[in-house]
Amino acid sequence: MLRYTLMRLGIFAGCLVVVWALVYSGVAPRGLGDSNGLWIVLLALLISAPISFVVLRNERDRASERIVRRVERAKANLAANRSQEDAADDTARAQSQASGQAQTSGQTQTSGQTQTSGQTQTS
């Protein structure tokens, strides 16, 4: 991606130099008032964009393939992390349900003994 960006900047710089030379030689108009610098930059951008689009097609395709691979790898890592979190969450819930059932059954047995002893005392 850096290579594509540098190549694009190089094409823009080349166009900027050519437009600057054309403006100062009088071949291209100088712009209105104090807009000469802005005129030169905008004209260079306008000329460099289609040149970059055509000339850098292969490099742009290579850069986009690298980006797609990175995104797919990031998605795979996120999916793996998500599945690990889901497995850890399921394990934690199963353990808490198991301990909760054990505590509930222990409380039921304790309350049953209290009721039994209470009935024995009232008889």
Side-chain angles (χ1 to χ4, degrees), residues 1-102:
M1 188 69 181
L2 179 65
R3 181 178 173 182
Y4 172 75
T5 303
L6 291 175
M7 291 172 82
R8 183 115 190 242
L9 284 173
I11 290 173
F12 170 72
C15 289
L16 186 65
V17 168
V18 168
V19 169
W20 178 80
L22 289 174
V23 167
Y24 280 103
S25 68
V27 175
R30 291 190 178 263
L32 299 173
D34 293 333
S35 68
N36 191 27
L38 182 61
W39 167 254
I40 292 172
V41 170
L42 288 177
L43 194 55
L45 279 172
L46 188 67
I47 294 170
S48 69
I51 292 172
S52 296
F53 184 73
V54 173
V55 172
L56 300 178
R57 178 173 288 145
N58 291 334
E59 186 62 34
R60 186 175 53 250
D61 290 343
R62 277 187 241 130
S64 67
E65 287 172 4
R66 279 184 254 146
I67 291 170
V68 166
R69 276 185 267 147
R70 284 183 194 166
V71 168
E72 287 175 355
R73 192 175 13 185
K75 283 181 182 179
N77 288 341
L78 286 173
N81 289 342
R82 194 175 302 128
S83 67
Q84 287 177 350
E85 289 175 5
D86 289 346
D89 187 45
D90 292 344
T91 304
R93 286 181 188 205
Q95 289 175 351
S96 85
Q97 286 178 355
S99 66
Q101 289 175 354

